[in-house]
Amino acid sequence: MTAMLEVKNLKVAYGRVRAVKGISFSVEQGQVVTLVGTNGAGKTTTLRTISGLLRPEEGEIWFEGERIDAVPAHEVTTRGLAHSPEGRRIFPRLTVEDNLRLGAFARKDKAGIAQDLERVFDLFEILRARRAQPAGTFSGGEQQMLAIGRAMMSRPKLLMLDEPSMGLSPLMMQRIMSTITELKSEGVTILLVEQNAQAALSLADYGYVLEVGSIVLEDTGAKLLTDDNVRKAYLGED
Ligand SMILES: Nc1ncnc2c1ncn2[C@@H]1O[C@H](COP(=O)(O)OP(=O)(O)O)[C@@H](O)[C@H]1O
Ligand SMILES: [Mg+2]
Protein backbone atom coordinates (compact mmCIF):
# COMPACT_ATOMS: atom_id res chain seq x y z
CA MET A 1 0.00 0.00 0.00
CA THR A 2 1.29 3.45 -0.79
CA ALA A 3 1.11 6.19 1.80
CA MET A 4 -1.47 8.97 1.58
CA LEU A 5 1.30 11.58 1.56
CA GLU A 6 4.82 10.91 0.47
CA VAL A 7 7.63 13.44 0.58
CA LYS A 8 10.82 12.39 -1.17
CA ASN A 9 14.19 14.11 -0.86
CA LEU A 10 12.59 17.52 -0.46
CA LYS A 11 14.87 20.55 -0.71
CA VAL A 12 13.54 24.07 -0.27
CA ALA A 13 15.50 27.32 -0.25
CA TYR A 14 14.82 31.01 0.27
CA GLY A 15 17.30 32.51 -2.15
CA ARG A 16 20.64 31.17 -0.97
CA VAL A 17 19.31 30.02 2.39
CA ARG A 18 18.60 26.31 2.26
CA ALA A 19 15.81 25.75 4.80
CA VAL A 20 14.97 22.11 4.01
CA LYS A 21 17.88 19.92 3.02
CA GLY A 22 16.56 16.75 1.46
CA ILE A 23 13.97 15.25 3.79
CA SER A 24 11.82 12.19 3.13
CA PHE A 25 8.82 11.11 5.14
CA SER A 26 5.35 9.71 4.71
CA VAL A 27 1.91 9.83 6.27
CA GLU A 28 -0.35 6.77 6.13
CA GLN A 29 -4.09 7.12 5.91
CA GLY A 30 -5.72 7.45 9.35
CA GLN A 31 -2.49 8.27 11.14
CA VAL A 32 -1.42 11.26 13.16
CA VAL A 33 2.16 12.00 12.14
CA THR A 34 4.20 14.74 13.73
CA LEU A 35 7.23 16.76 12.71
CA VAL A 36 8.93 18.12 15.81
CA GLY A 37 11.92 20.38 16.06
CA THR A 38 13.12 23.67 17.49
CA ASN A 39 12.53 27.08 15.98
CA GLY A 40 14.08 27.35 12.52
CA ALA A 41 14.25 23.60 11.87
CA GLY A 42 12.23 23.91 8.64
CA LYS A 43 8.82 22.68 9.80
CA THR A 44 6.75 25.58 8.47
CA THR A 45 8.69 25.61 5.21
CA THR A 46 7.89 21.93 4.75
CA LEU A 47 4.14 22.43 5.28
CA ARG A 48 4.04 25.49 3.02
CA THR A 49 5.75 23.51 0.28
CA ILE A 50 3.31 20.60 0.61
CA SER A 51 0.45 23.13 0.37
CA GLY A 52 1.83 24.55 -2.86
CA LEU A 53 2.67 27.94 -1.36
CA LEU A 54 6.40 27.38 -1.94
CA ARG A 55 8.12 25.46 -4.72
CA PRO A 56 10.80 22.90 -3.96
CA GLU A 57 14.26 23.21 -5.36
CA GLU A 58 14.42 19.46 -5.60
CA GLY A 59 12.40 16.44 -4.58
CA GLU A 60 8.87 15.15 -4.99
CA ILE A 61 5.58 15.36 -3.11
CA TRP A 62 2.93 12.71 -3.74
CA PHE A 63 -0.64 12.85 -2.42
CA GLU A 64 -2.94 9.87 -2.96
CA GLY A 65 -0.71 8.52 -5.68
CA GLU A 66 -0.44 11.78 -7.62
CA ARG A 67 2.47 14.15 -7.78
CA ILE A 68 1.49 17.58 -6.39
CA ASP A 69 4.71 19.57 -6.12
CA ALA A 70 3.83 21.67 -9.19
CA VAL A 71 0.09 21.94 -8.44
CA PRO A 72 -1.28 25.41 -7.48
CA ALA A 73 -2.18 25.87 -3.80
CA HIS A 74 -5.95 26.25 -4.35
CA GLU A 75 -6.03 23.01 -6.29
CA VAL A 76 -4.08 21.23 -3.58
CA THR A 77 -6.92 22.24 -1.21
CA THR A 78 -9.52 20.99 -3.66
CA ARG A 79 -7.80 17.62 -3.74
CA GLY A 80 -8.33 17.21 -0.01
CA LEU A 81 -5.31 18.68 1.71
CA ALA A 82 -5.99 21.50 4.20
CA HIS A 83 -3.50 23.65 6.07
CA SER A 84 -4.03 25.53 9.32
CA PRO A 85 -1.08 27.93 9.11
CA GLU A 86 1.32 29.06 11.80
CA GLY A 87 0.18 32.27 13.46
CA ARG A 88 -3.45 31.50 12.62
CA ARG A 89 -3.93 34.01 9.76
CA ILE A 90 -7.61 34.49 10.26
CA PHE A 91 -9.39 37.49 8.77
CA PRO A 92 -9.92 39.85 11.75
CA ARG A 93 -12.67 42.00 10.22
CA LEU A 94 -14.76 39.07 9.04
CA THR A 95 -17.15 37.29 11.35
CA VAL A 96 -16.41 33.87 12.74
CA GLU A 97 -18.91 32.32 10.39
CA ASP A 98 -17.51 34.06 7.31
CA ASN A 99 -13.99 32.99 8.28
CA LEU A 100 -15.21 29.41 8.53
CA ARG A 101 -17.11 29.57 5.24
CA LEU A 102 -13.94 30.73 3.49
CA GLY A 103 -12.46 27.35 4.35
CA ALA A 104 -15.15 25.77 2.17
CA PHE A 105 -14.41 27.99 -0.85
CA ALA A 106 -13.83 25.07 -3.17
CA ARG A 107 -17.05 23.23 -2.27
CA LYS A 108 -20.46 23.48 -3.86
CA ASP A 109 -22.42 21.06 -1.65
CA LYS A 110 -24.44 23.52 0.44
CA ALA A 111 -25.94 20.86 2.68
CA GLY A 112 -22.54 19.36 3.41
CA ILE A 113 -21.09 22.78 4.20
CA ALA A 114 -23.92 23.50 6.65
CA GLN A 115 -23.33 20.11 8.26
CA ASP A 116 -19.61 20.73 8.65
CA LEU A 117 -20.24 24.19 10.07
CA GLU A 118 -22.36 22.55 12.79
CA ARG A 119 -19.62 20.02 13.38
CA VAL A 120 -17.06 22.78 13.94
CA PHE A 121 -19.51 24.53 16.29
CA ASP A 122 -20.06 21.27 18.20
CA LEU A 123 -16.32 20.93 18.61
CA PHE A 124 -15.80 24.57 19.59
CA GLU A 125 -18.95 25.83 21.31
CA ILE A 126 -17.44 29.27 21.86
CA LEU A 127 -17.35 29.78 18.09
CA ARG A 128 -21.07 29.06 17.84
CA ALA A 129 -21.84 31.61 20.53
CA ARG A 130 -19.78 34.22 18.68
CA ARG A 131 -20.49 33.25 15.09
CA ALA A 132 -21.60 36.79 14.14
CA GLN A 133 -18.70 38.59 15.84
CA PRO A 134 -15.58 39.83 14.06
CA ALA A 135 -12.78 37.35 14.62
CA GLY A 136 -10.22 40.06 15.39
CA THR A 137 -11.64 40.53 18.88
CA PHE A 138 -10.77 36.95 19.89
CA SER A 139 -8.11 35.62 22.23
CA GLY A 140 -5.21 33.60 20.86
CA GLY A 141 -6.81 30.30 21.78
CA GLU A 142 -10.09 31.24 20.16
CA GLN A 143 -8.34 32.34 16.97
CA GLN A 144 -6.50 29.03 16.95
CA MET A 145 -9.79 27.14 17.18
CA LEU A 146 -11.07 29.25 14.32
CA ALA A 147 -8.01 28.48 12.18
CA ILE A 148 -8.41 24.75 12.79
CA GLY A 149 -12.16 24.98 12.18
CA ARG A 150 -11.57 26.81 8.92
CA ALA A 151 -9.17 24.13 7.73
CA MET A 152 -11.76 21.48 8.63
CA MET A 153 -14.38 23.26 6.52
CA SER A 154 -12.77 21.99 3.32
CA ARG A 155 -13.58 18.49 4.65
CA PRO A 156 -9.96 17.47 4.16
CA LYS A 157 -8.60 13.98 3.81
CA LEU A 158 -5.35 15.26 5.25
CA LEU A 159 -5.24 18.11 7.75
CA MET A 160 -1.93 19.87 8.33
CA LEU A 161 -1.65 21.87 11.56
CA ASP A 162 1.28 24.23 12.07
CA GLU A 163 1.95 24.82 15.79
CA PRO A 164 -1.67 24.71 16.95
CA SER A 165 -0.54 25.03 20.58
CA MET A 166 1.58 28.15 20.06
CA GLY A 167 0.83 30.89 22.58
CA LEU A 168 -1.94 28.95 24.30
CA SER A 169 -2.49 28.35 27.99
CA PRO A 170 -1.94 24.74 29.16
CA LEU A 171 -5.70 24.31 29.42
CA MET A 172 -6.36 25.54 25.88
CA MET A 173 -3.50 23.43 24.63
CA GLN A 174 -5.12 20.33 26.11
CA ARG A 175 -8.36 21.27 24.42
CA ILE A 176 -6.62 21.53 21.03
CA MET A 177 -4.77 18.24 21.56
CA SER A 178 -7.96 16.39 22.47
CA THR A 179 -9.62 17.89 19.40
CA ILE A 180 -6.84 16.39 17.28
CA THR A 181 -7.49 12.99 18.87
CA GLU A 182 -11.20 13.42 18.18
CA LEU A 183 -10.59 14.28 14.52
CA LYS A 184 -8.38 11.24 14.19
CA SER A 185 -11.13 9.02 15.56
CA GLU A 186 -13.39 10.43 12.86
CA GLY A 187 -10.92 9.25 10.24
CA VAL A 188 -9.08 12.47 9.42
CA THR A 189 -5.41 11.95 8.70
CA ILE A 190 -3.26 14.57 10.41
CA LEU A 191 0.21 16.00 9.90
CA LEU A 192 1.01 17.93 13.05
CA VAL A 193 3.91 20.34 13.37
CA GLU A 194 4.93 21.29 16.90
CA GLN A 195 7.72 22.80 18.96
CA ASN A 196 5.96 21.24 21.93
CA ALA A 197 7.41 17.77 21.40
CA GLN A 198 5.89 16.30 24.55
CA ALA A 199 2.32 17.10 23.50
CA ALA A 200 2.80 16.14 19.86
CA LEU A 201 4.60 12.82 20.46
CA SER A 202 2.06 11.83 23.11
CA LEU A 203 -0.69 11.64 20.54
CA ALA A 204 1.20 10.84 17.34
CA ASP A 205 1.38 7.40 15.78
CA TYR A 206 4.68 8.28 14.21
CA GLY A 207 7.13 11.16 14.51
CA TYR A 208 10.08 12.72 12.74
CA VAL A 209 12.63 14.92 14.48
CA LEU A 210 13.83 17.80 12.30
CA GLU A 211 17.09 19.64 12.95
CA VAL A 212 18.27 22.51 10.75
CA GLY A 213 16.53 21.19 7.68
CA SER A 214 17.26 17.47 8.09
CA ILE A 215 15.46 14.55 9.68
CA VAL A 216 17.75 13.19 12.40
CA LEU A 217 15.46 10.63 13.99
CA GLU A 218 12.17 8.89 13.29
CA ASP A 219 10.10 6.34 15.18
CA THR A 220 6.69 5.78 16.73
CA GLY A 221 5.53 8.62 18.97
CA ALA A 222 5.77 6.36 22.01
CA LYS A 223 9.37 5.32 21.24
CA LEU A 224 10.51 8.90 20.58
CA LEU A 225 8.97 10.02 23.87
CA THR A 226 11.23 7.62 25.76
CA ASP A 227 14.32 8.16 23.59
CA ASP A 228 17.21 9.55 25.65
CA ASN A 229 18.38 12.01 23.01
CA VAL A 230 14.88 13.29 22.41
CA ARG A 231 14.32 13.70 26.12
CA LYS A 232 17.52 15.70 26.49
CA ALA A 233 17.10 17.89 23.43
CA TYR A 234 13.35 18.44 23.30
CA LEU A 235 11.73 17.56 26.58
CA GLY A 236 13.96 19.66 28.78
CA GLU A 237 15.53 16.78 30.70
CA ASP A 238 19.14 16.04 31.44
N1 LIG B 1 10.56 33.98 4.19
C1 LIG B 1 11.78 33.58 4.53
N2 LIG B 1 12.87 34.13 3.96
C2 LIG B 1 14.12 33.71 4.29
N3 LIG B 1 14.38 32.73 5.17
C3 LIG B 1 13.34 32.15 5.77
C4 LIG B 1 11.98 32.53 5.48
N4 LIG B 1 11.15 31.77 6.22
C5 LIG B 1 11.95 30.96 6.95
N5 LIG B 1 13.26 31.18 6.69
C6 LIG B 1 14.41 30.45 7.26
O1 LIG B 1 14.26 29.09 6.95
C7 LIG B 1 14.63 28.27 8.05
C8 LIG B 1 13.45 27.38 8.43
O2 LIG B 1 12.37 28.18 8.91
P1 LIG B 1 10.93 27.59 9.26
O3 LIG B 1 10.53 26.67 8.18
O4 LIG B 1 10.05 28.73 9.55
O5 LIG B 1 11.25 26.74 10.57
P2 LIG B 1 10.31 26.26 11.75
O6 LIG B 1 8.89 26.33 11.27
O7 LIG B 1 10.76 24.87 12.04
O8 LIG B 1 10.55 27.18 12.90
C9 LIG B 1 15.06 29.23 9.15
O9 LIG B 1 16.45 29.33 9.10
C10 LIG B 1 14.39 30.51 8.76
O10 LIG B 1 15.13 31.62 9.24
MG1 LIG C 1 7.28 27.27 12.10
Side-chain angles (χ1 to χ4, degrees):
M1 201 191 85
T2 56
M4 179 178 247
L5 178 75
E6 238 176 297
V7 172
K8 298 179 186 172
N9 188 33
L10 187 70
K11 296 184 182 170
V12 192
Y14 299 97
R16 273 192 231 155
V17 182
R18 168 84 47 85
V20 172
K21 304 172 181 172
I23 63 171
S24 299
F25 66 94
S26 58
V27 181
E28 305 281 344
Q29 172 144 24
Q31 278 190 330
V32 174
V33 171
T34 187
L35 303 179
V36 297
T38 50
N39 198 15
K43 305 181 298 297
T44 295
T45 303
T46 301
L47 291 199
R48 288 176 59 80
T49 309
I50 295 169
S51 283
L53 299 168
L54 293 172
R55 292 290 167 223
E57 208 181 16
E58 235 182 279
E60 298 177 4
I61 303 169
W62 293 76
F63 181 60
E64 294 199 303
E66 288 180 43
R67 203 166 160 181
I68 59 161
D69 45 86
V71 170
H74 64 89
E75 202 190 313
V76 171
T77 311
T78 311
R79 290 186 188 201
L81 216 157
H83 183 180
S84 173
E86 185 179 61
R88 299 149 200 156
R89 313 238 172 168
I90 52 134
F91 296 94
R93 284 161 187 256
L94 296 186
T95 64
V96 166
E97 182 167 340
D98 288 343
N99 267 281
L100 289 172
R101 287 187 181 280
L102 277 177
F105 76 89
R107 296 173 61 183
K108 302 209 162 50
D109 56 321
K110 275 195 175 168
I113 292 170
Q115 201 181 354
D116 285 350
L117 195 58
E118 284 311 306
R119 181 160 156 257
V120 171
F121 287 152
D122 286 345
L123 216 44
F124 303 119
E125 283 291 339
I126 187 105
L127 297 184
R128 175 180 279 125
R130 302 194 183 173
R131 66 196 289 167
Q133 285 182 26
T137 61
F138 277 28
S139 74
E142 290 158 356
Q143 292 191 15
Q144 189 63 66
M145 291 181 205
L146 185 54
I148 296 172
R150 185 179 56 190
M152 285 168 56
M153 286 301 293
S154 64
R155 201 177 274 190
K157 295 171 185 162
L158 175 62
L159 176 60
M160 299 196 294
L161 302 171
D162 195 349
E163 308 249 14
S165 78
M166 190 162 55
L168 301 191
S169 66
L171 195 72
M172 268 316 303
M173 196 184 84
Q174 272 182 11
R175 180 86 184 88
I176 297 292
M177 292 300 157
S178 61
T179 301
I180 293 171
T181 310
E182 209 169 314
L183 290 173
K184 183 196 169 174
S185 72
E186 291 175 12
V188 183
T189 307
I190 293 164
L191 178 57
L192 170 66
V193 155
E194 267 296 336
Q195 273 192 66
N196 187 329
Q198 174 81 48
L201 293 174
S202 299
L203 59 78
D205 296 294
Y206 205 80
Y208 297 86
V209 179
L210 210 53
E211 267 176 24
V212 284
S214 302
I215 290 172
V216 295
L217 208 55
E218 62 167 277
D219 212 325
T220 61
K223 286 242 179 70
L224 288 177
L225 262 184
T226 56
D227 182 281
D228 276 348
N229 293 321
V230 173
R231 299 190 77 82
K232 276 185 198 143
Y234 299 99
L235 306 178
E237 296 183 8
D238 44 32

